[in-house]
Amino acid sequence: MTQSMLWLGIQIVLYGSLLMVILETSDLSLWKMTFWVILILAPIYFVTDWLFKKMARSGDPDFGSDQEVHKHVKYLEE
């Protein structure tokens, strides 16, 4: 599976989840709607982000996360 197909699948899951939450909570107040969006979408986002990074690392031996790149750039600047 290529990384672009994985990324596309993750985006479909995230935007589909957002659409479903908005449709189901559209009759609630803005604050309740925001609460449910955060409660449902935040865990989905972090799980899919973790999954993408895990699969990217396993498929690409040269993969470096944003934190690793920042750490090495900061080390080189010192």
Side-chain angles (χ1 to χ4, degrees):
M1 178 187 316
T2 64
Q3 289 183 9
S4 60
M5 292 301 290
L6 176 64
W7 181 85
L8 182 63
I10 288 172
Q11 296 307 308
I12 290 171
V13 167
L14 288 174
Y15 283 110
S17 300
L18 176 62
L19 177 65
M20 292 306 297
V21 169
I22 288 175
L23 290 176
E24 292 296 322
T25 60
S26 62
D27 58 335
L28 299 176
S29 69
L30 179 64
W31 294 110
K32 289 180 182 178
M33 183 179 188
T34 305
F35 170 75
W36 284 107
V37 166
I38 291 171
L39 184 69
I40 293 172
L41 291 181
I44 292 174
Y45 170 77
F46 287 114
V47 167
T48 56
D49 185 52
W50 172 80
L51 177 68
F52 180 73
K53 287 180 181 176
K54 180 181 177 195
M55 292 187 80
R57 280 190 190 107
S58 68
D60 183 8
D62 294 330
F63 177 79
S65 70
D66 294 339
Q67 290 86 9
E68 292 169 345
V69 170
H70 179 71
K71 182 175 74 173
H72 290 298
V73 168
K74 192 173 184 179
Y75 173 75
L76 293 173
E77 288 177 349
E78 293 176 347

